[in-house]
Amino acid sequence: SQQGEEDPQALSIQEGENATMNCSYKTSINNLQWYRQNSGRGLVHLILIRSNEREKHSGRLRVTLDTSKKSSSLLITASRAADTASYFCATELYGNKLVFGAGTILRVKS
Amino acid sequence: DADVTQTPRNRITKTGKRIMLECSQTKGHDRMYWYRQDPGLGLRLIYYSFDVKDINKGEISDGYSVSRQAQAKFSLSLESAIPNQTALYFCATSDAGQGNNEKLFFGSGTQLSVL
């Protein structure tokens, strides 16, 4: 079974709205990362949050991590059509293994 | 200029054929990985290598083999392809061995179809 599971599986919003994606995981982690994938392309790293951090920002991205609930959320503010992509959380387990979830498909309508 | 290059981009083959997917990188990273992506399942790790002489199985290594010919090259082979190996395959690199976190850099992928 997946270490990381994203929710929702798919999300459709209007341009300008905020998009929130959630990730839950099962075991203790070293850090949690979010990646983006445009259709059929390779994944691109977006942001990393360490297990001792609770919130991190990068441009329009805001990531939170709650280790007590084993969950993370990715917020994209003021979304644009170009944000349309799949978003994956990946948990780095101790020993440097990175395990990916199944992803959230985000569609931003203009 | 791609830092992680995969060849071919697309490949159609028949059941039972031997296939090799190649990956090369110019990032100077020690660690290299092969993942496969299936719809709805995310990415699953096939094999990984932390150094030229280091090969490790991932969660779904059966039916696959790898060769790390040099720091910059990591190839994936399907000895006898079967239809359920139809998937999008990604090579990735990381510099985590140099004291950094395990942030991955991906190639553009190889879409493999086994008929």
Side-chain angles (χ1 to χ4, degrees), chain B residues 12-31:
Chain B
I12 300 173
T13 190
K14 294 182 179 179
T15 298
K17 294 290 187 181
R18 183 178 189 275
I19 294 295
M20 179 180 286
L21 308 182
E22 306 211 34
C23 177
S24 62
Q25 53 116 346
T26 58
K27 300 187 77 67
H29 291 169
D30 289 327
R31 299 185 174 195

Side-chain angles (χ1 to χ4, degrees), chain A residues 25 29-34 45 47-58 63-73 94, chain B residues 101:
Chain A
Y25 58 92
I29 61 172
N30 192 21
N31 64 64
L32 185 144
Q33 304 175 33
W34 287 90
H45 182 268
I47 194 165
L48 178 153
I49 186 165
R50 294 184 173 80
S51 59
N52 61 354
E53 298 176 314
R54 292 297 167 259
E55 186 171 314
K56 202 159 184 182
H57 297 256
S58 176
V63 170
T64 61
L65 179 65
D66 186 334
T67 54
S68 66
K69 295 181 179 178
K70 291 187 170 58
S71 67
S72 173
S73 67
Y94 293 101
Chain B
N101 290 111

Side-chain angles (χ1 to χ4, degrees), chain A residues 1-2 30-31 33 35 37 40-45 48 50 88 92 95-103, chain B residues 9 31 33 35 37 40-45 48 50 59 88 90 96 100-104 106-109:
Chain A
S1 62
Q2 297 287 118
N30 192 21
N31 64 64
Q33 304 175 33
Y35 288 78
Q37 182 184 33
R41 307 293 293 179
L43 279 71
V44 175
H45 182 268
L48 178 153
R50 294 184 173 80
F88 295 87
E92 182 182 332
N96 293 140
K97 284 187 64 177
L98 200 60
V99 180
F100 287 84
Chain B
R9 288 298 313 277
R31 299 185 174 195
Y33 304 80
Y35 285 90
Q37 183 177 31
L41 292 179
L43 277 73
R44 291 181 292 167
L45 182 62
Y48 60 103
F50 286 175
E59 60 181 300
L88 184 55
F90 286 105
N100 301 305
N101 290 111
E102 194 73 22
K103 172 183 169 182
L104 297 182
F106 284 83
S108 295

